[in-house]
Amino acid sequence: IDVQLDNDKSCILIVPNDEAASKDFVPEQKKCDEDKARPYRVFRLPLLEPVTGHKCLDIRGVYGSIGITTYDPGFTSTASCHSAITYIDGGNGILLHRGYKIEDLCEHSDIDELSFLLLYGDLPSKDDKAFHVSQIKKHTMVHEKMIQFYRGFHHNAHPMAIMCA
């Protein structure tokens, strides 16, 4: 198996015929060390461009197409999701929300500013924050049926269990 960068938008995965049996591949010939032609199949993998960080290979279709999975112990080279809001680089201790360091947000912002940032992509001006807070206060009524629903849970139930329910 060989992987080659094709251009800025895709990458090529080359797999010997005996390991791949998929009509999605385009057969090609590639010379081996003994200068004998061996059949190979080629699969084009899209490169995803992140807002921040490294480009990613989109491997979602690899297993379904050729029956091969990837091996990445500890997920050191794996992006688990696509996010336009959060960037995480655990190895370097980086956590960004919409491009802002989490340390700066915790130190200099409040919950109203953070909710505005997550919704609209930037920290609010003074007027934006005042309007945002007024909108939140205006829409804080909880329907009586929801209150009854929440009363059905134990007072110290885990929040994720409540959300799942």
Side-chain angles (χ1 to χ4, degrees):
I1 296 176
D2 188 20
V3 178
Q4 300 171 358
L5 189 61
D6 184 32
N7 56 38
D8 284 343
K9 302 232 187 269
S10 66
C11 190
I12 295 176
L13 177 67
I14 301 171
V15 182
N17 244 351
D18 59 339
E19 293 181 12
S22 172
K23 60 183 180 228
D24 297 332
F25 282 85
V26 178
E28 278 191 5
Q29 295 290 320
K30 182 175 177 173
K31 300 237 180 212
C32 65
D33 292 336
E34 297 85 24
D35 283 333
K36 294 195 289 186
R38 290 182 57 195
Y40 280 77
R41 293 186 180 252
V42 176
F43 187 58
R44 188 174 305 279
L45 303 173
L47 278 174
L48 303 177
E49 189 74 39
V51 174
T52 304
H54 304 287
K55 292 180 181 179
C56 302
L57 284 174
D58 184 354
I59 61 168
R60 286 178 280 192
V62 172
Y63 179 71
S65 296
I66 62 175
I68 293 176
T69 61
T70 58
Y71 177 66
D72 181 18
F75 294 107
T76 57
S77 299
T78 301
S80 61
C81 68
H82 172 77
S83 175
I85 297 173
T86 303
Y87 173 73
I88 301 171
D89 182 349
N92 292 316
I94 299 172
L95 174 58
L96 304 177
H97 289 300
R98 299 278 194 186
Y100 294 91
K101 290 182 178 179
I102 191 68
E103 297 89 355
D104 295 338
L105 292 172
C106 290
E107 191 172 324
H108 303 292
S109 300
D110 60 24
I111 188 69
D112 299 320
E113 292 170 333
L114 183 58
S115 66
F116 187 93
L117 171 67
L118 294 176
L119 288 171
Y120 303 109
D122 211 351
L123 289 171
S125 66
K126 213 175 228 188
D127 291 339
D128 288 338
K129 182 179 177 182
F131 180 75
H132 185 64
V133 169
S134 73
Q135 290 298 102
I136 291 172
K137 287 180 180 178
K138 188 187 291 187
H139 295 94
T140 56
M141 296 291 295
V142 179
H143 195 280
E144 189 60 36
K145 292 286 184 183
M146 289 301 295
I147 294 171
Q148 290 174 3
F149 173 76
Y150 286 119
R151 284 188 183 138
F153 291 98
H154 194 267
H155 72 280
N156 65 351
H158 194 281
M160 284 305 286
I162 295 172
M163 283 195 46
C164 288

